[in-house]
Amino acid sequence: AEPVTVEDVEILHSFIEESKDHLENIEEKILSLEKTNDQATVDDIFRSMHTMKGTSAFFGFGQIKDLSHSLEFVLDALRTEQLTLTPEIVDVLLAGTDLLSRQIGELDGISSGLENPQGNLVIPASEIDIMPIMARIREINNPNSAEEHQPDASAPAPAEESFEDLITPEIRDNFISEST
């Protein structure tokens, strides 16, 4: 993973706070899935994860994007009934969400207290190892051919995903409100 340069610390703070909200919502909903496997809940988790993926890609936080994309892939397979919810899937979703929370916490620690630094803020690459959870996600998705369908943390975004797909209405609205 490469360091990321952020030009506007205020927008970074907004990303961190929104990510915390999304992750809290995601964790709560994953825990509720254990009790009741509800399609609407899976859809809610998917949307929040999709937003995290898009915003992290916008900033260039590759590990957050890759992990959220991989978790989104599992959630999409649950939505389309290609996968059935199991305790292992719940565990992987919770573990992945925990790693995302740790990464967002790491960003929060780096940017905490910074308002308008002189020049750009260079955020070092995360030292949090996402490879073990990425391997578990690949195994869940398809133990025989997951490598063909599932990105790994070092791979670029899939060619079929355009930049426009990463920008959600929420991201666009936040950008517009921050810019005016």
Side-chain angles (χ1 to χ4, degrees), residues 5 7 17 27 42 63 75 77 99 102 114 118-119 124-125 130 139 144 155:
T5 301
E7 296 175 14
E17 290 309 310
E27 182 176 4
V42 174
Q63 282 192 319
L75 292 161
L99 278 179
R102 287 179 49 208
L114 296 177
Q118 298 294 349
I130 66 169
E139 184 65 28
N144 299 321

Side-chain angles (χ1 to χ4, degrees), residues 17-27 47-49 51-52 55 97 170:
E17 290 309 310
E18 286 176 21
S19 294
K20 286 179 182 178
D21 290 343
H22 280 297
L23 290 165
E24 185 177 308
N25 177 53
I26 288 168
E27 182 176 4
R47 281 191 295 277
S48 288
M49 197 63 73
T51 300
M52 291 253 338
T55 354
T97 301
E170 181 182 19

Side-chain angles (χ1 to χ4, degrees), residues 62 65-67 70 130-131 134 138 147 150-157:
K65 176 197 62 89
D66 290 339
L67 180 53
S70 294
I130 66 169
M131 295 315 290
M134 296 293 276
R138 277 192 294 275
E147 298 267 338
Q150 184 62 38
D152 66 51
S154 62

Side-chain angles (χ1 to χ4, degrees), residues 89-105:
I89 291 174
V90 170
D91 185 55
V92 165
L93 291 172
L94 286 171
T97 301
D98 181 59
L99 278 179
L100 288 170
S101 294
R102 287 179 49 208
Q103 289 177 312
I104 295 300

Side-chain angles (χ1 to χ4, degrees), residues 2-146:
E2 297 291 320
V4 173
T5 301
V6 176
E7 296 175 14
D8 189 328
V9 175
E10 291 306 313
I11 292 176
L12 175 64
H13 288 301
S14 293
F15 165 71
I16 291 167
E17 290 309 310
E18 286 176 21
S19 294
K20 286 179 182 178
D21 290 343
H22 280 297
L23 290 165
E24 185 177 308
N25 177 53
I26 288 168
E27 182 176 4
E28 180 182 303
K29 292 196 182 288
I30 291 170
L31 292 172
S32 77
L33 277 180
E34 285 184 306
K35 298 174 187 141
T36 309
N37 185 1
D38 175 45
Q39 190 64 37
T41 303
V42 174
D43 289 341
D44 286 345
I45 299 167
F46 177 87
R47 281 191 295 277
S48 288
M49 197 63 73
H50 181 76
T51 300
M52 291 253 338
K53 176 189 75 174
T55 354
S56 59
F58 173 77
F59 276 99
F61 298 128
Q63 282 192 319
I64 297 172
K65 176 197 62 89
D66 290 339
L67 180 53
S68 57
H69 180 74
S70 294
L71 293 168
E72 178 190 44
F73 195 85
V74 172
L75 292 161
D76 191 48
L78 289 170
R79 287 173 30 158
T80 58
E81 298 180 359
Q82 295 170 354
L83 286 176
T84 303
L85 189 67
T86 64
E88 171 66 8
I89 291 174
V90 170
D91 185 55
V92 165
L93 291 172
L94 286 171
T97 301
D98 181 59
L99 278 179
L100 288 170
S101 294
R102 287 179 49 208
Q103 289 177 312
I104 295 300
E106 191 177 61
L107 289 175
D108 196 18
I110 291 168
S111 67
S112 182
L114 296 177
E115 295 304 323
N116 293 309
Q118 298 294 349
N120 297 329
L121 175 63
V122 177
I123 298 173
S126 176
E127 293 186 17
I128 296 171
D129 184 9
I130 66 169
M131 295 315 290
I133 193 73
M134 296 293 276
R136 288 179 67 194
I137 292 168
R138 277 192 294 275
E139 184 65 28
I140 283 173
N141 280 324
N142 189 338
N144 299 321
S145 63

